[in-house]
Amino acid sequence: AQTVTQSQPEMSVQEAETVTLSCTYDTSESDYYLFWYKQPPSRQMILVIRQEAYKQQNATENRFSVNFQKAAKSFSLKISDSQLGDAAMYFCAYRSHGTYKYIFGTGTRLKVLA
Amino acid sequence: DTGVSQDPRHKITKRGQNVTFRCDPISEHNRLYWYRQTLGQGPEFLTYFQNEAQLEKSRLLSDRFSAERPKGSFSTLEIQRTEQGDSAMYLCASSFGGSFTGELFFGEGSRLTVL
């Protein structure tokens, strides 16, 4: 069975600085998708960034980028120029190609310090 | 479209009572999911629908849980004979079948408290 592990329950970053959130996963599949979702306090979860496993190039969305290491089964999220609005729970998620069942990690709470 | 909506947002019930949650997905989305989230944990998969068909159900889901999606539109999640361990946030999400990656769009959740 696939699993997703986020080993950092909480992280802090100074405003305008850069922070990296870690995620590792376990799968025997070769074709899958990886996601980072953000859950602000008392608000719905939204997609931050996604990565298709067959793509070697790391995904980037404005200040958010990933470091996807397929062989190591690692998928970290880098947030540059951190803003107060980035404070939230961040969840790493996995989905196999051909299924629509998402598996989420336990999350990392990100605090942004002014 | 205003996104995925869930009702009620918060439900307090006594142990042994039945509760039902409703989810209205984004209108053009044919896939609908239910997840459960407890404090400090990530969302845990419960079940998902493609149109009106329930395609997968978690083995962790007891027989007290049932979900329906009549006519492939809104969905209901019913929990019978609630237990204190059922206290959690129940999240609904939907996705568009034509989307290559199947990005999930979440509602704000329905928080269940079982006394």
Side-chain angles (χ1 to χ4, degrees):
Chain A
Q2 296 92 356
T3 58
V4 176
T5 302
Q6 294 180 250
S7 59
Q8 305 156 317
E10 189 171 294
M11 293 282 285
S12 296
V13 63
Q14 290 286 340
E15 199 175 2
E17 296 295 308
T18 296
V19 65
T20 298
L21 308 184
S22 301
C23 173
T24 58
Y25 58 95
D26 188 27
T27 184
S28 58
E29 314 235 338
S30 59
D31 198 2
Y32 51 86
Y33 307 96
L34 296 165
F35 307 81
W36 279 98
Y37 279 86
K38 170 185 178 182
Q39 188 176 40
S42 301
R43 294 179 61 186
Q44 69 260 53
M45 201 173 306
I46 58 173
L47 178 67
V48 174
I49 197 166
R50 60 173 169 254
Q51 174 81 41
E52 292 89 343
Y54 66 86
K55 290 186 177 179
Q56 293 186 345
Q57 185 174 4
N58 289 325
T60 300
E61 289 286 344
N62 301 313
R63 298 183 296 107
F64 299 87
S65 61
V66 298
N67 183 3
F68 172 48
Q69 301 289 328
K70 191 172 184 179
K73 296 179 183 176
S74 171
F75 182 61
S76 61
L77 174 69
K78 185 171 81 170
I79 306 174
S80 304
D81 185 25
S82 297
Q83 300 175 0
L84 295 177
D86 294 333
M89 284 291 292
Y90 286 81
F91 293 97
C92 179
Y94 166 99
R95 179 173 77 81
S96 293
H97 180 73
T99 178
Y100 287 90
K101 177 182 174 180
Y102 288 69
I103 299 168
F104 287 82
T106 53
T108 297
R109 180 175 302 281
L110 177 66
K111 295 185 176 181
V112 181
L113 309 174
Chain B
D1 192 22
T2 57
V4 179
S5 62
Q6 294 188 242
D7 184 71
R9 294 289 313 281
H10 195 177
K11 178 71 175 180
I12 301 172
T13 191
K14 293 182 178 180
R15 188 179 57 179
Q17 298 295 304
N18 299 343
V19 297
T20 298
F21 300 113
R22 175 180 171 125
C23 172
D24 287 272
I26 293 173
S27 57
E28 65 267 26
H29 287 184
N30 62 337
R31 294 195 180 95
L32 186 147
Y33 310 76
W34 286 100
Y35 281 82
R36 177 172 61 190
Q37 186 177 22
T38 54
L39 198 61
Q41 299 296 316
E44 175 190 20
F45 172 80
L46 294 179
T47 188
Y48 92 90
F49 293 84
Q50 181 163 308
N51 300 313
E52 66 275 10
Q54 187 174 20
L55 295 188
E56 189 168 351
K57 184 177 176 180
S58 171
R59 287 171 288 180
L60 301 175
L61 213 57
S62 77
D63 292 341
R64 298 184 297 104
F65 287 72
S66 63
E68 294 183 341
R69 193 183 182 198
K71 303 178 182 178
S73 56
F74 70 92
S75 176
T76 57
L77 176 69
E78 181 183 18
I79 308 174
Q80 297 181 326
R81 305 181 303 281
T82 52
E83 302 172 357
Q84 288 187 326
D86 297 331
S87 295
M89 178 74 83
Y90 289 85
L91 299 172
C92 178
S94 67
S95 69
F96 176 52
S99 166
F100 183 63
T101 57
E103 173 187 346
L104 295 180
F105 292 80
F106 282 88
E108 295 191 45
S110 292
R111 182 171 297 283
L112 174 64
T113 303
V114 182
L115 303 176

